[in-house]
Amino acid sequence: MRDLGLTGKRVLVTGAAGGLGRAFAEGFANAGACVIASDLNAHGAQETAAIIAEAGQEAHSAKVDVTCAESCSALATTVQDRLGGVDILINNAAVYAGLERQAFEEIDESVWDKVMAVNVKGVWQMSRALTPLMRQAGSGAIINVASATVFSGSPQWMHYVASKGAVIAMTRSMARELGDVPIRTNVLAPGFTLTEASLNLIEDAENYGVTRGALKRAATAEDMVGGALYLASDLAGFVTGQTLVVDGGRQFI
Ligand SMILES: NC(=O)c1ccc[n+]([C@@H]2O[C@H](COP(=O)([O-])OP(=O)(O)OC[C@H]3O[C@@H](n4cnc5c(N)ncnc54)[C@H](O)[C@@H]3O)[C@@H](O)[C@H]2O)c1
């Protein structure tokens, strides 16, 4: 098989305290990359780095609040000082766990603002903190984690759907603005995936969606890793501004 070209690449994953973020961190470490697991939940990020280190791979952890410009630039400085730069950014942090489903007329303004601050502004803040390092290196790849829910327009979920729609739109602008470096910027859009967060959000999560997709089983966090590895790798060297839906064939876009 062709080498993915990820050996020794420095990968920063946000929202890496558990769930998909931890799976991305472990998946990239297994592909030979050096991982920086970051999260608002510093303890969870440390745990992720420790799991990877125990498996004999290189990993670091850092606390970050993606909604805060100072926190994002402090992380960029840490990464520059510790590792000399970054090659791949996975913007995975989001308000997802604990988000209540509500009719759009009922959504509290403070909840709306929080979802937008983390899911939309956070992607912008983190990306603009790290692109100077990628520009300096002359290349980079950014993967923004959206959601396949954008294409189904899930009801009682408008704040979340809107935020992930914005992530797809922002990715296209970023791809055009960063293409000359080149920094490739793509979206991974998972369908419903079993993580601690989703298990707590949806009743009967194990069976949710099983019959609705072309592939008749529930997705695990590990199912999302291959798509991220592909988008970050040399195999996707001419792919930018795209959205890769990984949902077992529930929606075709
Ligand atoms: N699980 C699913 O079914 C599913 C489906 C589609 C998309 N997604 C997306 O995948 C990603 C991960 O989902 P998950 O299931 O692992 O959920 P999760 O809630 O466990 O992961 C989100 C992580 O983001 C972190 N975070 C929240 N606010 C932050 C902030 N201000 N700064 C830094 N980190 C912050 C949380 O601490 C958490 O670790 C999210 O972007 C989610 O929207 C999940």
Side-chain angles (χ1 to χ4, degrees), residues 69-85:
E70 290 76 26
S71 178
C72 293
S73 16
L75 178 54
T77 306
T78 304
V79 166
Q80 173 72 49
D81 294 348
R82 276 206 227 165
L83 303 171

Side-chain angles (χ1 to χ4, degrees), residues 7 33 40 43 49 103 109-110 121 126 129 144 147 165 179-180 185 188 214 219 223-224 235:
T7 306
L40 188 59
H43 177 69
E109 195 178 343
S110 64
K121 189 173 153 192
M126 209 52 238
N144 294 327
S147 170
D180 60 335
T185 309
L188 182 81
D223 284 317
M224 302 304 133
L235 296 178

